[in-house]
Amino acid sequence: MSGTASSSFIDAARGLAPHIQASAEEIERSRRLPLPLVEAMAQAGLFRLWIPRALGGEETDPMTLVRVVEEVARADGAAGWCMAIGGEYGVFGGYLPVDAAREIYGSDPHVRTAGAFRPFGGAVVVDGGYRVTGRWPLGSGCQHSAWIVGGCRVLDGDQPRLRSDEAPVTRILFFPAADCEVLDTWHSIGLRGTGSHDYAVADVFVPAARSLAFRDPPVEPGPLYAMPTIALFATVLAAVPLGIARHAIDILLEIAETKIASRSRRALREDVTMQANLGQAEAMLRSGRAFLYETLGEAWRVVSAGQTLSVQQRAMLWLASTHAATAAKQATELMFSA
């Protein structure tokens, strides 16, 4: 994708900031994103960035989605988290069999996907697929998604199917949202608006083609689908605290213009302790962010050249994601204290 096209999505995310900020109170009150806001994000194409071009998606480079999530999270953390989940799950369109991928990702230009990977479901093998029963926590965005995934242990009768190393065989299965019961369990303090409720299915049939495993090779040939999926997801999730930290700095800079520091009776902007904390937070945030984009960009260059990431390069993706999130958390705490 050209830099101009990539920038247009980042600009679109930035342009949604007033809408997101105007929805902030409703997001907290209703514990989910308002549907008009979700639809505005979808209309901007933000949920289709990692869906294959063969299915009508954008198939962008990974940095574009990370930047988009960062911009949305800067306006509101919960919106950023839902953007991350809905955006990154588009990559599954590159791993599912073509007909199933088209059914899920190609039939609706605004499709959203949610769900959890941990194998809390049981998928009994039957002719043509599985009968699935299970309950999963943390279904972020499940109330505005058309498809919901759930990690499952594969069962032959009542016995778990095992790999050659004796580990249980697990797969991720895709359910139409109408087949899932959303349970009102999300009453958090932080990221309250993500609607990360539990959800459950009971004896639902899922065709075999509507399932995948992270060990499966990709169906689509593009470099995006040659990236290690879970490590790639970690880079997107790290963008959420990066955006939140930038928002925290924005807030302090605004407050500092008028707030009077009690210890000095001068404007907070003139307080040397605040200035030191602000500088430290800025350095933390920028360094963590730079490491994340540098590492992700290097991995992208490797796979775009048709090469395979080394174990060290994969580890660097995890390290950069963890460091970015940690640095953002520390910067936010400094701003809160100030």
Side-chain angles (χ1 to χ4, degrees), residues 168-254:
V169 172
T170 62
R171 294 190 72 76
I172 298 167
L173 278 67
F174 287 70
F175 317 111
D179 287 348
C180 298
E181 178 186 7
V182 175
L183 307 168
D184 190 352
T185 56
W186 188 246
H187 298 272
S188 69
I189 297 174
L191 296 184
R192 186 176 177 83
T194 59
S196 301
H197 300 287
D198 288 14
Y199 60 97
V201 298
D203 195 32
V204 169
F205 175 73
V206 178
R210 226 192 278 151
S211 73
L212 57 82
F214 286 119
R215 292 170 173 260
D216 292 347
V219 173
E220 290 291 330
L224 181 63
Y225 311 107
M227 295 282 282
T229 310
I230 295 296
L232 188 60
F233 285 0
T235 65
V236 180
L237 297 183
V240 179
L242 287 179
I244 291 171
R246 178 53 63 191
H247 188 184
I249 291 174
D250 292 342
I251 290 172
L252 181 65
L253 288 172
E254 181 180 354

Side-chain angles (χ1 to χ4, degrees), residues 123-132 154-155 161 173 204-211:
V124 179
V125 178
V126 296
D127 288 344
Y130 308 93
R131 304 292 313 185
V132 184
V154 176
L155 305 173
R161 180 176 289 183
L173 278 67
V204 169
F205 175 73
V206 178
R210 226 192 278 151
S211 73

Side-chain angles (χ1 to χ4, degrees), residues 9-337:
F9 292 111
I10 298 166
D11 290 342
R14 191 176 295 123
L16 283 170
H19 188 172
I20 296 170
Q21 291 163 347
S23 303
E25 289 189 12
E26 184 180 353
I27 289 171
E28 290 292 300
R29 184 175 61 254
S30 61
R31 295 177 291 128
R32 61 179 293 181
L33 299 192
L35 289 179
L37 173 57
V38 177
E39 186 61 25
M41 294 161 70
Q43 289 282 0
L46 303 185
F47 292 113
R48 299 191 64 77
L49 296 182
W50 281 5
I51 294 174
R53 281 189 288 272
L55 301 175
E58 301 295 338
E59 199 173 324
T60 68
D61 62 75
M63 291 74 73
T64 299
L65 179 58
V66 176
R67 285 287 308 280
V68 162
V69 170
E70 193 179 359
E71 288 295 336
V72 175
R74 183 175 184 174
D76 181 83
W81 183 262
C82 288
M83 179 66 250
I85 299 299
E88 68 186 12
Y89 283 15
V91 84
F92 290 141
Y95 289 84
L96 288 163
V98 173
D99 288 346
R102 187 173 294 113
E103 175 190 12
I104 294 168
Y105 291 103
S107 59
D108 178 1
H110 300 152
V111 69
R112 278 91 65 181
T113 314
F117 305 145
R118 294 180 68 182
F120 288 164
V124 179
V125 178
V126 296
D127 288 344
Y130 308 93
R131 304 292 313 185
V132 184
T133 298
R135 173 173 172 168
W136 295 263
L138 301 176
S140 303
C142 60
Q143 293 161 298
H144 62 242
S145 295
W147 292 87
I148 300 178
V149 304
C152 294
R153 292 173 296 112
V154 176
L155 305 173
D156 293 306
D158 59 356
Q159 295 299 311
R161 180 176 289 183
L162 302 178
R163 301 198 312 247
S164 58
D165 62 0
E166 299 299 310
V169 172
T170 62
R171 294 190 72 76
I172 298 167
L173 278 67
F174 287 70
F175 317 111
D179 287 348
C180 298
E181 178 186 7
V182 175
L183 307 168
D184 190 352
T185 56
W186 188 246
H187 298 272
S188 69
I189 297 174
L191 296 184
R192 186 176 177 83
T194 59
S196 301
H197 300 287
D198 288 14
Y199 60 97
V201 298
D203 195 32
V204 169
F205 175 73
V206 178
R210 226 192 278 151
S211 73
L212 57 82
F214 286 119
R215 292 170 173 260
D216 292 347
V219 173
E220 290 291 330
L224 181 63
Y225 311 107
M227 295 282 282
T229 310
I230 295 296
L232 188 60
F233 285 0
T235 65
V236 180
L237 297 183
V240 179
L242 287 179
I244 291 171
R246 178 53 63 191
H247 188 184
I249 291 174
D250 292 342
I251 290 172
L252 181 65
L253 288 172
E254 181 180 354
I255 290 174
E257 288 299 314
T258 56
K259 183 176 175 64
I260 302 301
S262 59
R263 58 181 170 268
S264 66
R265 306 311 303 166
R266 294 186 297 177
L268 188 58
R269 68 176 182 272
E270 299 175 9
D271 184 84
V272 293
T273 301
M274 187 284 293
Q275 292 170 356
N277 287 342
L278 178 62
Q280 188 177 0
E282 190 70 45
M284 285 177 177
L285 180 57
R286 286 181 182 243
S287 60
R289 185 177 185 273
F291 183 27
L292 178 68
Y293 283 104
E294 175 190 337
T295 306
L296 185 57
E298 176 58 31
W300 180 244
R301 285 188 288 274
V302 170
V303 297
S304 295
Q307 301 170 4
T308 301
L309 293 179
S310 67
V311 172
Q312 182 179 17
Q313 287 167 326
R314 289 169 177 252
M316 283 297 106
L317 283 173
W318 282 104
L319 178 60
S321 300
T322 302
H323 177 67
T326 300
K329 174 177 177 288
Q330 292 171 340
T332 303
E333 288 174 340
L334 275 171
M335 296 300 88
F336 180 77
S337 297

